[in-house]
Amino acid sequence: MKRLVFFLLIIGIAVSVFGQVQVPEYRFASGSWGFVGPRLYQNDARAPLAKVNFRVPQSGPMIYEFNARYESGAEDGHGGFGIHLFVDSAYNAASWGAGKSYLLWLNYDEKPLSNSGIPAGLSAQVYRSNTNSSMILADSVDLNEFSYLLTTDNLSQPVPVKIWMDGSTGEVRVYDPTDPDLNYYFYFYIDPKDVPIRGEWVALRTNGIKLSFGLGL
């Protein structure tokens, strides 16, 4: 299995299959992104479609690991972040989707649109992106039973994120940040004619919130 330690790539410590150190290509597409040391910040709390693209070849089983820390911006009762996996091509401007890709999203919204299919409060969504302007909601999960964890102390700490996805089957596993032996798994439908899917990019994004990202705690 190929292992992708996502934010090692971001800070340019990626080792290719030939053992050569490479600096990956990245593009700040929308929002206000920047590095402070090895940590990446998105500093515009009003940006609804903040996004940064990273050139990462993907095929077969992949593992993505990073951490996310809340900085500010959810005082208005709304904020979210997520990651597009197996992106076929990068669009370097604000966009709803990200080419052909799969988006995993963590959301907090006290007053979601009534026809959005998204519950009020804390939730998670998975989308299949078809184009930069078209995405389909594949599933939405109510996470309000865990909303008690959204304390000031907890929000000030980086939260580990670990995702496993197999481009040959569409299987995805999202690991519990409090217990690495537990995971939530589901399948994205992949048209048999498209198997196995491949991606050239991943896209990290935020909505209405300031966050920072890094490797390890």
Side-chain angles (χ1 to χ4, degrees):
M1 178 187 297
K2 287 170 290 182
R3 182 177 181 84
L4 171 62
V5 182
F6 183 56
F7 277 92
L8 277 178
L9 289 170
I10 288 180
I11 61 176
I13 314 178
V15 180
S16 74
V17 294
F18 302 105
Q20 298 174 334
V21 176
Q22 299 176 337
V23 178
E25 179 181 355
Y26 63 88
R27 302 176 184 177
F28 296 149
S30 56
S32 178
W33 297 88
F35 289 99
V36 177
R39 197 160 187 84
L40 176 63
Y41 287 76
Q42 199 296 108
N43 291 307
D44 186 353
R46 296 187 294 178
L49 298 171
K51 182 179 63 177
V52 56
N53 297 313
F54 297 91
R55 186 184 290 277
V56 180
Q58 298 153 86
S59 64
M62 302 293 298
I63 292 178
Y64 309 80
E65 290 186 86
F66 59 97
N67 68 67
R69 185 177 68 208
Y70 171 75
E71 302 295 339
S72 67
E75 294 82 5
D76 61 355
H78 176 262
F81 79 96
I83 182 172
H84 284 271
L85 308 178
F86 284 85
V87 183
D88 64 339
S89 60
Y91 180 68
N92 295 307
S95 64
W96 166 235
K100 290 184 178 179
S101 63
Y102 301 86
L103 173 65
L104 280 66
W105 188 256
L106 185 64
N107 193 65
Y108 183 80
D109 194 345
E110 294 178 355
K111 297 180 180 180
L113 296 175
S114 59
N115 62 349
S116 66
I118 297 174
L122 185 64
S123 65
Q125 285 75 44
V126 291
Y127 293 86
R128 186 173 71 250
S129 175
N130 297 313
T131 68
N132 294 324
S133 60
S134 172
M135 286 203 299
I136 297 173
L137 179 63
D139 197 8
S140 183
V141 181
D142 190 320
L143 297 178
N144 282 296
E145 63 180 299
F146 303 108
S147 60
Y148 71 92
L149 296 172
L150 300 179
T151 65
T152 299
D153 287 344
N154 287 341
L155 289 174
S156 67
Q157 302 298 318
V159 177
V161 178
K162 180 179 178 180
I163 301 165
W164 180 93
M165 180 172 177
D166 189 345
S168 299
T169 64
E171 182 180 359
V172 180
R173 301 176 188 175
V174 180
Y175 288 81
D176 187 327
T178 66
D179 187 343
D181 292 327
L182 300 177
N183 63 81
Y184 168 75
Y185 72 93
F186 56 92
Y187 287 86
F188 281 113
Y189 171 75
I190 300 176
D191 192 309
K193 67 180 177 60
D194 296 327
V195 175
I197 59 170
R198 298 180 184 274
E200 293 300 320
W201 299 82
V202 295
L204 186 67
R205 60 189 305 169
T206 69
N207 179 6
I209 197 172
K210 292 183 181 181
L211 288 178
S212 67
F213 304 88
L215 174 70
L217 297 176

